[in-house]
Amino acid sequence: DLTATAVALRTMPPAHAGLGTTVDAEVVALAELVEAAQVALLARVAVLDTSGIARSDGHGSTEAWLAARTPMSRTTAGRTVRLARRLHRGTPVNGAAPLPGTATALGAGRLSVEHASIIATTTEHLPAAVVPDAEAVLVEAATRLAPAQLRIAARRLHRLLLPDHDTRAAAAHDTRYLHLTPALYGMWAI
């Protein structure tokens, strides 16, 4: 029973630091358990999302259902549902191509949920025709890179595939400004 396991984990006292303790092994095992739980959660959220349970339970969306029924915030619930849809649906989600290779690698433990999230974010606005190749490159990179390194590689790949997008973003960045005006008593007005 998953609920009993969750309660047992919450109430389990940590091992005491010192010679011969297993606190380091507990930390590693718990981190692996959290990752496995997140992978399982994404698969189940995808099933829940297509089942209609959220609407029949009186909620307008799966995100709303998760926010109401779990400790997740609405923001976290939204991110979770979007990632679950991209990983576990065989059809485009809001125009974004599915990521079956990422789902397979994630399920096999070859990459982390954080890696999968980076891949999903990077490929979200790419043309559907290039997503399979971009996904394959990113999944392969994810098996060798830490998430921070993958994020850098993903940005570079995104710039190569959508150079116009980066040009528009740079132009928007260049036109930003902040105007300060001295006011009374050493204060400044923005």
Side-chain angles (χ1 to χ4, degrees):
D1 181 10
L2 292 175
T3 303
T5 302
V7 170
L9 284 172
R10 281 193 179 111
T11 59
M12 182 176 82
H16 297 296
L19 290 175
T21 64
T22 59
V23 71
D24 57 337
E26 283 182 356
V27 168
V28 170
L30 286 169
E32 289 173 358
L33 185 61
V34 166
E35 185 68 25
Q38 288 179 328
V39 171
L41 176 67
L42 287 167
R44 282 148 183 86
V45 165
V47 171
L48 176 78
D49 189 46
T50 59
S51 72
I53 291 173
R55 291 206 189 274
S56 67
D57 202 21
H59 297 281
S61 66
T62 304
E63 294 91 342
W65 187 91
L66 281 171
R69 301 281 305 266
T70 72
M72 283 186 212
S73 69
R74 183 71 185 246
T75 302
T76 301
R79 277 195 305 264
T80 301
V81 171
R82 282 190 303 278
L83 183 56
R85 287 174 180 161
R86 293 284 309 281
L87 294 174
H88 297 289
R89 278 198 188 166
T91 57
V93 179
N94 295 332
L99 301 170
T102 304
T104 300
L106 183 62
R110 293 179 45 224
L111 51 93
S112 70
V113 172
E114 188 173 358
H115 286 110
S117 181
I118 293 166
I119 294 168
T121 301
T122 302
T123 60
E124 186 172 16
H125 299 292
L126 294 179
V130 301
V131 170
D133 291 335
E135 179 191 22
V137 167
L138 291 169
V139 167
E140 177 58 33
T143 64
R144 294 179 280 108
L145 300 175
Q149 295 169 314
L150 179 64
R151 195 171 278 109
I152 293 167
R155 269 192 236 118
R156 289 180 181 157
L157 178 65
H158 195 272
R159 261 187 253 126
L160 285 171
L161 296 173
L162 286 180
D164 186 46
H165 178 75
D166 282 344
T167 304
R168 286 192 315 261
H173 182 271
D174 290 344
T175 60
R176 294 185 313 172
Y177 67 93
L178 177 66
H179 184 79
L180 296 173
T181 304
L184 297 174
Y185 309 109
M187 304 285 286
W188 291 84
I190 296 178

